[in-house]
Each structure stands twice: as structure tokens, then as C-alpha cells.
Amino acid sequence: MERAEEKRWLRAAVKGDGQAFAALYRANVQAVYRYVYHRVNDVHLAEDITGDVFTKALESISSYQDQGKPFVAWLYRIAHARVVDQYRKSNRRPQESDVEAEPIPFEANMDEALLRRQAGRALRQAIAELTGDQQQVIILRFIEGYRLEEVADMLGKNANAIKALQHRALRSLGQRLERAGLDIATILAGLA
């Protein structure tokens, strides 16, 4: 969604237009879901939290103040708060799902698909072990594909702070993935 169009929908949504909020929802729900999923590593919990994010956004839309940032930045802040609330409520980080319970679909090149899933699990686990700020930077930069300046703007930090966070996060991810026998460059290239 173009920024000018987003601004029109936002003005209408702030005035109570349900169709406008629905358009904003459709434009941003997948990004918010991916962000939450990569923080909690659980499909059902990510769906629930994503629903909570948009419920909170709908309840608060009348007081929304456009600060020149994309609407999704506001949604990410709400999502971050909901994820933190979830961690506090459960008093622990979510665990990987039971491997035995996972369905294994048949694919023509089973080894490649299996290796890709294993690499994805290792990456999600490694991301979960980063600090909260590092997780946000990695998810926004490499999974959501935002530019450095956009991430800095969304998180209210300067670009150099984001660069430093990104550097430390990538170094930490690289070490963790190396211990798991995986190469971070290959995995991150697969995300692009």
C-alpha cells in the first residue's frame, strides 16, 4: 500500500470508518503475523497474538497520531508489547513443537525439504535466543525486508545503533548456527 493511500485510509479509520480499518488490516496482517510468529515460534499463538494486536489497534485507532512513520510501525509496537505480555504470562519462552507430532508430507526431493525445515527450525531457535532488540532488528531487516533507515525509524533509534545491533545479532546468530552445522549466509540468502 502506498503511503499516500495509507494516509487516506488512516484518516478515515480514525473517524470510525470500518471499511478503512479493514483495508489497513488486509494490508498489514501478514507482516504482523510473520513478526509475531518469529518471536513466539508457535503458529496458533502467533495467530492469537496477531488477532489481539488488531483488536487493540481497532480499540485505539481513534487516538492514533500520524508521526510520519508507516502504520505498520505502530502495529509492530503493539505486537512487541503483546509478545512481551505473553512471555510474562507464561513466564518462559515458548518451546519448539513436538517433532513426533509434526506431519511429514511426501515431497519429490524429501532430503532438500527436510534440510530446509531443519535449517528453519535452527534459525528460529537461534533468533529466539537473541536479546529482544536484536530479534526485532533481524526480523524487520531480513525477514520483513525493511531498509536500515526504516528499521531505525520504526524502533525510534538512529541508524548507527541499528547497525551495531544488527552486527552483534548476526555475529551471535552465526556462532549459534555454526554450532548447529549451518551457515548463516546461506540461510539469510534463502530468506531473500
Side-chain angles (χ1 to χ4, degrees), residues 25-39:
Y25 170 85
R26 285 189 300 275
N28 294 290
V29 66
Q30 288 302 316
V32 171
Y33 170 80
R34 284 189 308 268
Y35 174 81
V36 171
Y37 175 75
H38 286 286
R39 297 297 302 267

Side-chain angles (χ1 to χ4, degrees), residues 63-119:
S63 62
Y64 176 79
Q65 298 282 319
D66 188 348
Q67 298 175 352
K69 298 177 184 177
F71 180 63
V72 75
W74 186 60
L75 294 173
Y76 284 145
R77 283 196 304 274
I78 295 171
H80 177 73
R82 293 293 166 256
V83 168
V84 168
D85 289 347
Q86 178 60 37
Y87 288 157
R88 285 184 186 138
K89 209 167 34 175
S90 67
N91 201 20
R92 63 175 172 77
R93 292 225 181 239
Q95 298 297 314
E96 222 13 78
S97 60
D98 183 13
V99 174
E100 300 292 325
E102 299 253 346
I104 301 178
F106 176 78
E107 297 177 24
N109 190 345
M110 194 74 138
D111 290 341
E112 185 179 315
L114 203 56
L115 290 173
R116 204 171 37 254
R117 277 196 300 275
Q118 179 187 8

